[in-house]
Amino acid sequence: MGGQEYKTDKKKICIGLLAHVDAGKTTLAEGLLLTCGEIQRLGRVDHGDACLDNFALERERGITIFSKQARLSWKEMDITLLDTPGHVDFSAEMERTLQVLDYAVLVISGSDGVQGHVETLWRLLKQYQIPVFLFVNKMDQPGTNQESLLAELRGKLDGGCQAFGPDAEKAGDAYWEELALCSEALMEEYLETGELADISVAGAIARRHVFPCYFGSALHMKGLEELLDGIRRFALCPEYPEEFSARVYKISRDAAGNRLTHLKVTGGVLRVKMPVSNAGSAGAESEVWEEKVNQLRIYGGAQYEAVEAVEAGGICAVTGLDKTFGGQGLGREGRN
């Protein structure tokens, strides 16, 4: 996210899926899980069997209402995937999730183009300074045209929207020249060397100068491997401090009524039975408290794994914390 330093070793990143309703976001999430071997068949929202839309109301209405977590691995890259609501009625749930993302994948409907809510999402992504990959979905539908859609993305969102993937790179020099136009640093490198290093392109993406666009069909599993390969190639991992810190993004309750604090560990390690405090983010008139972690859960859809520790960069749900709220910083998070 904006202002952080990045490292380039084994990829371990948190990505959020965002979209206008009916763009096919949850179908994309299912397709990514299937591609990575996490599920054995493609579920669908309209069939009520999507892995991540597991609440009864979501299956009844056929839409995502609550942000969900899934874990997947792709070619030595570990991804925590957060599927967020696309319907404008539940945008507050989506916005709370933005504060813990390293990157976002914004899903655009190829048949509808840039709709009004997409522009709202784009402004929020800019506000939170989140680097963005775009997946233009439903390219199997009649009348979709990649060139005209790319022109629309550049006109309505940002001129840095650039087609990525093996097919785009076949254009050779024309592709690299167009990419170099997205930032002065890229242009200088291209003029000096005649090429662009992956790390330079990755840096431009992290600084929101370049927005890679992939085109495909989630329902027909087209373009998904290219998207995953692009994220593996061009996403950078934030550097985290050694002292414990965390950012709360959601409060919920499980089926048994246990209060769950959903958070991202942004420094150090969070362990079971470890005391945590709001001292770093408490204002002058706020109560400073300390509570002990009872259980750490890493969710994958409706199921979870109880673990003993979560390292920086990890997303988890915590039991035992009764005074937390969405947006709150824990540990050194929020300390000046």
Side-chain angles (χ1 to χ4, degrees):
M1 292 166 60
Q4 293 192 29
E5 295 298 322
Y6 289 83
K7 59 183 180 181
T8 56
D9 56 1
K10 178 177 171 62
K11 296 289 192 336
K12 181 181 178 182
I13 52 179
C14 178
I15 296 177
L17 290 183
L18 291 84
H20 183 93
V21 67
D22 293 333
K25 174 181 55 59
T26 300
T27 304
L28 176 60
E30 296 286 311
L32 294 174
L33 288 167
L34 182 62
T35 301
C36 295
E38 300 298 329
I39 58 177
Q40 300 307 308
R41 68 183 184 87
L42 190 67
R44 291 180 56 169
V45 180
D46 53 348
H47 292 175
D49 60 356
C51 174
L52 294 180
D53 283 342
N54 44 60
F55 285 84
L57 185 59
E58 292 177 311
R59 292 186 168 174
E60 177 185 328
R61 295 185 59 178
I63 59 173
T64 303
I65 297 175
F66 307 104
S67 58
K68 308 295 191 324
Q69 176 181 348
R71 292 182 293 165
L72 43 147
S73 295
W74 179 255
K75 298 179 180 178
E76 298 186 355
M77 174 178 65
D78 294 331
I79 295 176
T80 298
L81 192 69
L82 296 179
D83 182 21
T84 67
H87 199 286
V88 66
D89 289 352
F90 307 106
S91 57
E93 176 83 6
M94 175 278 301
E95 187 171 351
R96 282 192 289 268
T97 308
L98 295 183
Q99 57 197 316
V100 297
L101 300 182
D102 299 321
Y103 288 82
V105 172
L106 179 61
V107 188
I108 306 290
S109 169
S111 57
D112 297 320
V114 179
Q115 298 168 286
H117 188 52
V118 171
E119 296 183 72
T120 300
L121 293 173
W122 192 259
R123 287 192 294 270
L124 285 168
L125 289 165
K126 181 178 181 179
Q127 176 184 329
Y128 285 89
Q129 285 295 292
I130 299 171
V132 184
F133 290 78
L134 294 94
F135 185 78
V136 184
N137 194 23
K138 303 186 180 182
M139 291 300 292
D140 56 308
Q141 296 194 5
T144 55
N145 179 275
Q146 179 171 322
E147 288 187 10
S148 62
L149 283 164
L150 187 59
E152 183 180 5
L153 294 173
R154 289 170 172 168
K156 293 186 176 180
L157 300 183
D158 193 282
C161 291
Q162 171 86 10
F164 269 57
D167 289 342
E169 291 187 31
K170 288 177 183 176
D173 289 345
Y175 167 78
W176 296 108
E177 288 170 6
E178 198 169 57
L179 184 56
L181 289 170
C182 294
S183 81
E184 289 186 12
L186 291 181
M187 180 57 74
E188 289 177 5
E189 180 176 337
Y190 185 71
L191 291 174
E192 289 177 6
T193 67
E195 58 186 11
L196 292 173
D198 281 2
I199 187 63
S200 302
V201 177
I205 294 168
R207 290 188 291 274
R208 290 178 45 86
H209 295 152
V210 175
F211 303 93
C213 302
Y214 294 84
F215 295 79
S217 169
L219 185 61
H220 296 287
M221 303 295 290
K222 293 181 179 179
L224 276 63
E225 290 193 13
E226 289 82 356
L227 173 63
L228 287 165
D229 283 339
I231 294 171
R232 182 181 64 86
R233 182 177 174 186
F234 295 114
L236 301 175
C237 303
E239 288 277 10
Y240 295 104
E242 294 185 3
E243 185 180 354
F244 168 73
S245 60
R247 174 67 61 182
V248 179
Y249 71 95
K250 185 174 73 167
I251 304 297
S252 71
R253 291 189 181 273
D254 65 13
N258 297 304
R259 188 179 193 271
L260 300 176
T261 298
H262 300 261
L263 55 80
K264 178 182 183 180
V265 180
T266 55
V269 181
L270 179 60
R271 304 180 188 277
V272 171
K273 302 305 180 186
M274 175 176 155
V276 298
S277 169
N278 69 330
S281 60
E285 298 180 1
S286 302
E287 174 194 1
V288 176
W289 53 260
E290 182 177 277
E291 295 181 319
K292 188 174 292 186
V293 171
N294 285 342
Q295 189 181 48
L296 295 175
R297 302 178 180 181
I298 297 181
Y299 274 86
Q303 307 301 316
Y304 70 84
E305 175 188 1
V307 298
E308 291 298 311
V310 177
E311 297 180 350
I315 300 277
C316 63
V318 181
T319 66
L321 306 182
D322 295 324
K323 298 180 179 180
T324 49
F325 56 84
Q328 186 174 36
L330 302 177
R332 78 183 299 274
E333 186 74 36
R335 190 181 304 167
N336 294 327

